[in-house]
Amino acid sequence: MRKMIFVIGIQGSGKSTFIEKNYADHKKFHVMDLFQESMARFGTLQPVLDGFRVEDNDAFIELYNEIPWEAFMAFEDDKTVVVECPVVSEGTSPFMDLIYQAKDLGIETQVIFLTVEPAEAIQRVREAGSAYRSSAQIWEEQLDALEFLLDHCKRNKAGHLG
């Protein structure tokens, strides 16, 4: 059965750190991370930060097309796909609808909410300084990539579930 883990929290709650510590086993898990992939492929975060807002952003288009496909193929290898989902407005995440869609597709879903006092989250971000990368900066791009993954799953649903 396909399985996805959604790690949700506010900026500075420790989502990336939690994922790095708990899902580093690449034989079991596939982390769908636009930032990490951008750095690995291009040595910069700029393609992801620019997203579709920059005309002819070929590097981002490459990521946008390949990352969901790689996650889909991870399902085929019986890996659990892990996705970082920021809370971008008070008390809500735009990812919730997609979590329900995944569940409706027969994908086993686990949602992990990371909580932290707002003052502590702000302090964490300050301490990280320029090294801090906020998934909230690219939530739309991450959401699009996740939608693309679920579209792959919809088109290939027969014979792959259960």
Side-chain angles (χ1 to χ4, degrees), residues 85-146:
C85 306
V87 172
V88 293
S89 63
E90 185 141 345
T92 187
S93 174
F95 291 84
M96 293 309 294
D97 284 341
L98 292 181
I99 292 168
Y100 290 119
Q101 284 180 36
K103 193 170 185 78
D104 289 345
L105 285 169
I107 298 170
E108 181 182 337
T109 58
Q110 179 180 1
V111 179
I112 299 171
F113 287 95
L114 298 182
T115 59
V116 64
E117 291 296 324
E120 183 178 342
I122 291 167
Q123 183 61 31
R124 289 178 180 179
V125 172
R126 281 188 189 135
E127 287 174 3
S130 63
Y132 184 76
R133 58 185 177 115
S134 172
S135 58
Q137 289 177 285
I138 61 163
W139 72 269
E140 292 169 303
E141 290 79 5
Q142 183 80 341
L143 196 68
D144 285 344
L146 185 54

Side-chain angles (χ1 to χ4, degrees), residues 4 17-19 26 36 48 55-57 61 74 76-77 82-83 97 101 109 121 129 155 157:
M4 290 186 77
T17 302
F18 180 84
I19 289 170
H26 297 290
Q36 188 175 46
V48 176
E55 196 171 318
D56 299 325
N57 186 351
I61 292 169
E76 298 301 300
D77 292 336
V82 180
V83 182
D97 284 341
Q101 284 180 36
T109 58
R155 288 191 300 266
K157 187 175 179 183

